[in-house]
Amino acid sequence: TSIPMEKNWYLDEDNFITHPATWSVEAVILFLKQTDAKTLWPLVDIFRSHKIDGKALLLLTSDVMLKYLGLKLGTTMKLCYYIERLKQGKCFEN
């Protein structure tokens, strides 16, 4: 049986259809790489060290990113945009 493709379901690193809230830290890293590697690739080590999995990713706010993760404002705003698109089911659309 297959899971119907809904707008809030994506492919993880193992190509299984999963909801972003179920993503592992490595699936989140893949999301960063596939979404905007130039801007988000430098965040890989930060996300790994803070164990940012799918649930944590969906809960990130700009305040948390700036204050606790030490991200720059531009990077934070772009990541907030990508997270919002992810929540809307539009993360991989142009």
Side-chain angles (χ1 to χ4, degrees):
T1 59
S2 64
I3 299 171
M5 280 295 276
E6 296 179 5
K7 72 176 190 172
N8 59 344
W9 292 77
Y10 298 94
L11 298 177
D12 69 6
E13 73 272 18
D14 296 320
N15 293 322
F16 293 114
I17 299 171
T18 60
H19 188 278
T22 67
W23 288 355
S24 65
V25 173
E26 290 307 310
V28 170
I29 299 304
L30 183 65
F31 167 74
L32 297 177
K33 182 179 176 184
Q34 290 178 341
T35 302
D36 184 348
K38 182 179 177 184
T39 301
L40 303 180
W41 188 251
L43 307 182
V44 168
D45 290 337
I46 294 169
F47 274 54
R48 279 194 182 117
S49 68
H50 287 278
K51 297 181 172 58
I52 305 293
D53 61 8
K55 285 182 184 175
L57 178 71
L58 295 174
L59 293 170
L60 282 178
T61 64
S62 58
D63 290 342
V64 168
M65 289 185 243
L66 291 166
K67 185 174 181 179
Y68 297 103
L69 299 181
L71 303 185
K72 301 288 185 186
L73 181 60
T75 301
T76 296
M77 299 313 295
K78 289 177 184 177
L79 186 53
C80 285
Y81 169 77
Y82 296 131
I83 291 170
E84 188 58 36
R85 288 178 60 86
L86 178 64
K87 289 177 182 178
Q88 295 172 3
K90 300 177 181 175
C91 68
F92 297 118
E93 297 175 7
N94 291 328

